Amino acid sequence: MQTEKISIYTLTSELHDEKSVGAVTKEFLESLGIGYAFKGNDYTDYGSCALSLIYVRTGGTEGIFKRLLPSLLEKSDHAPFYLLTSGKSNSLAASMEILSYLRQNNLKGEIIHGSASYIRKRVSLLAKVCQVRKQLKGCRLGVIGQPSDWLISSQADYDAVRSQLGIELVDIPMQELLDVLAMTPESASHETSDVEMVKRALPGANRIYMALKDVIAKYQLQGFTLRCFDLLTAIKNTGCLALAKLNAEGYVAGCEGDVPAMLSMMVARSLTGLSGFQANPSRIDPETGEMLFAHCTIPLDMVERYEYDTHFESGIGVGIRGYMKPGPVTIFKVSGNLSRCFVTEGELIQSQAKADLCRTQQIIHLADKSQTSYFLTEPIGNHHIILPGYHQETLEAIFNSLE
């Protein structure tokens, strides 16, 4: 853990002897085995590093914290308050009173208390979450065209996204992409296919990829979501190949103008460094916890192998049938106003290639079959994001850090 990522500030009652408190402080902090910058009671630069911890060293510090709070709120941009306790000198009791006061004032906070190994693990996770939140500030994500007409619940609260995640959502008219496409020459494709219809569509699919790169550069985007079905009627091709390639290059590239799905992909990539597969649940077995997810594109860096086919619904253009390595996965989604989050873990059992579904198809067995009830009673839209590996703890941590 990098030392500069964590700063530790202190709250100490004047009734306690500084020498004896200092000795306890040294012993306690050294036992944690973390890197940090010790700031003591100097809060001048509070909130400037990734994670600011307030070490409540003694009881009788509640009033001190209350006096500091207005200044700390300004410095921390209303981030949660993390209260570190040693369990000595009424440290925990004072922390509980402070946290209760924060809750009464609709402010977030957490007491970090327990064994040295627990505190070390928790602090490491929170430092990562706070670092990601700082990285997300100023991130620009494009909404190219509006959400598809059938995504009636997949809007976003632009102000909430800006204030809570620091992400700027940039509306870009679909016509602008079409204008760029009209000026983008079609070149020979390096890819090929045994399916003649797909082979003929590949140069056009790559032209969409090149046009999207131009839009990304013009608007300085870190990602986008595309109202991709409009391309079917406008140019008789699909964005599936372009999205698969751009995700693999490190951008977030989402389908159907689904803004909450794009936000979920951005948060997940920032925390894990991984691309996400935006997919529809197509079949659910509540008795076993088995689910089938499908979509016509998947990031190329997520799969062991892939092949081209036509786009499922239209039967034209280029779709991607990707085969991801079986194993642990996480399913994730945040709502467009950031008020709700769903995350669960499971196992990718196998990929399949049935003709009556979108081209990439994954059978996933949820670790907790009761989680299937979420999809049937209170889903956050239809699209969900699938990530390789287990990431529930980190994804829940960043959502819980939001205002």
Side-chain angles (χ1 to χ4, degrees):
M1 188 180 302
Q2 297 295 316
T3 300
E4 63 271 16
K5 288 184 179 180
I6 300 172
S7 290
I8 296 181
Y9 304 81
T10 59
L11 289 176
T12 314
S13 168
E14 296 177 357
L15 297 177
H16 287 75
D17 176 62
E18 177 58 37
K19 184 176 181 180
S20 60
V21 172
V24 171
T25 297
K26 184 174 185 296
E27 178 185 4
F28 172 62
L29 295 181
E30 286 182 353
S31 74
L32 302 181
I34 61 174
Y36 61 89
F38 186 75
K39 303 291 185 175
N41 61 4
D42 181 2
Y43 285 81
T44 305
D45 63 351
Y46 182 84
S48 61
C49 65
L51 177 62
S52 295
L53 298 175
I54 298 177
Y55 176 22
V56 183
R57 299 201 293 181
T58 70
T61 50
E62 299 88 337
I64 300 173
F65 177 83
K66 184 178 180 180
R67 290 194 297 273
L68 286 170
L69 183 57
S71 172
L72 299 184
L73 285 171
E74 291 182 6
K75 295 176 183 292
S76 66
D77 196 24
H78 292 259
F81 291 94
Y82 297 108
L83 308 172
L84 180 64
T85 81
S86 64
K88 295 184 178 181
S89 302
N90 287 322
S91 170
L92 179 58
S95 297
M96 292 173 66
E97 187 70 16
I98 291 170
L99 183 57
S100 178
Y101 179 77
L102 289 171
R103 296 293 191 191
Q104 288 174 357
N105 288 274
N106 297 314
L107 297 171
K108 285 200 169 187
E110 177 184 338
I111 296 171
I112 304 175
H113 177 77
S115 67
S117 62
Y118 168 80
I119 292 175
R120 181 165 54 250
K121 180 181 178 183
R122 186 63 183 163
V123 167
S124 177
L125 175 60
L126 292 174
K128 183 177 182 179
V129 167
C130 293
Q131 184 70 20
V132 166
R133 290 195 61 179
K134 286 184 178 294
Q135 291 171 353
L136 285 174
K137 288 191 179 299
C139 173
R140 291 168 58 83
L141 298 178
V143 183
I144 305 176
Q146 295 300 306
S148 294
D149 295 341
W150 49 88
L151 296 183
I152 59 175
S153 73
S154 297
Q155 310 295 323
D157 183 330
Y158 282 42
D159 291 336
V161 170
R162 185 187 303 109
S163 65
Q164 295 191 48
L165 286 176
I167 292 176
E168 191 75 23
L169 295 175
V170 183
D171 285 325
I172 303 169
M174 190 68 188
Q175 187 59 49
E176 182 162 345
L177 174 61
L178 296 177
D179 292 343
V180 174
L181 271 167
M183 296 183 294
T184 303
E186 190 171 289
S187 58
S189 175
H190 296 295
E191 298 93 353
T192 188
S193 172
D194 295 333
V195 180
E196 186 61 30
M197 183 182 294
V198 175
K199 185 177 181 180
R200 290 198 304 268
L202 277 167
N206 272 300
R207 187 161 67 99
I208 296 170
Y209 162 75
M210 296 303 300
L212 285 168
K213 291 271 279 191
D214 288 343
V215 173
I216 288 170
K218 176 181 177 179
Y219 287 94
Q220 299 180 309
L221 304 176
Q222 284 72 55
F224 63 90
T225 182
L226 171 66
R227 187 181 165 99
C228 46
F229 274 72
D230 283 15
L231 297 175
L232 297 173
T233 53
I235 62 171
K236 303 298 189 292
N237 213 320
T238 60
C240 303
L241 178 61
L243 302 185
K245 294 171 72 170
L246 289 167
N247 273 299
E249 291 175 10
Y251 300 102
V252 162
C255 312
E256 301 178 38
D258 189 329
V259 182
M262 172 181 66
L263 292 172
S264 303
M265 294 169 77
M266 188 71 230
V267 170
R269 181 184 285 278
S270 299
L271 268 174
T272 68
L274 299 171
S275 295
F277 172 37
Q278 176 183 332
N280 297 316
S282 298
R283 189 181 70 232
I284 299 172
D285 187 337
E287 295 178 317
T288 66
E290 185 175 284
M291 297 186 62
L292 172 62
F293 289 86
H295 228 215
C296 275
T297 187
I298 185 171
L300 297 184
D301 60 336
M302 291 184 71
V303 298
E304 295 183 302
R305 62 184 179 90
Y306 64 92
E307 56 200 33
Y308 300 123
D309 200 339
T310 56
H311 177 252
F312 168 60
E313 286 92 344
S314 64
I316 65 174
V318 181
I320 309 293
R321 180 178 292 111
Y323 297 86
M324 205 166 97
K325 182 179 179 180
V329 294
T330 302
I331 303 168
F332 176 57
K333 186 72 177 291
V334 296
S335 63
N337 61 4
L338 304 179
S339 66
R340 294 179 59 208
C341 165
F342 174 78
V343 57
T344 194
E345 295 173 341
E347 294 282 327
L348 170 58
I349 305 302
Q350 68 177 73
S351 297
Q352 65 176 31
K354 299 292 179 66
D356 60 346
L357 285 170
C358 292
R359 304 315 186 189
T360 295
Q361 303 161 24
Q362 296 184 349
I363 298 175
I364 292 174
H365 191 275
L366 301 188
D368 178 2
K369 66 181 181 181
S370 69
Q371 291 293 302
T372 57
S373 67
Y374 151 83
F375 295 94
L376 301 175
T377 61
E378 50 180 358
I380 304 174
N382 67 341
H383 294 130
H384 285 69
I385 308 307
I386 298 170
L387 302 164
Y390 292 144
H391 307 288
Q392 182 168 351
E393 185 179 25
T394 52
L395 290 168
E396 286 180 338
I398 194 167
F399 181 77
N400 290 335
S401 74
L402 301 179
E403 294 178 24

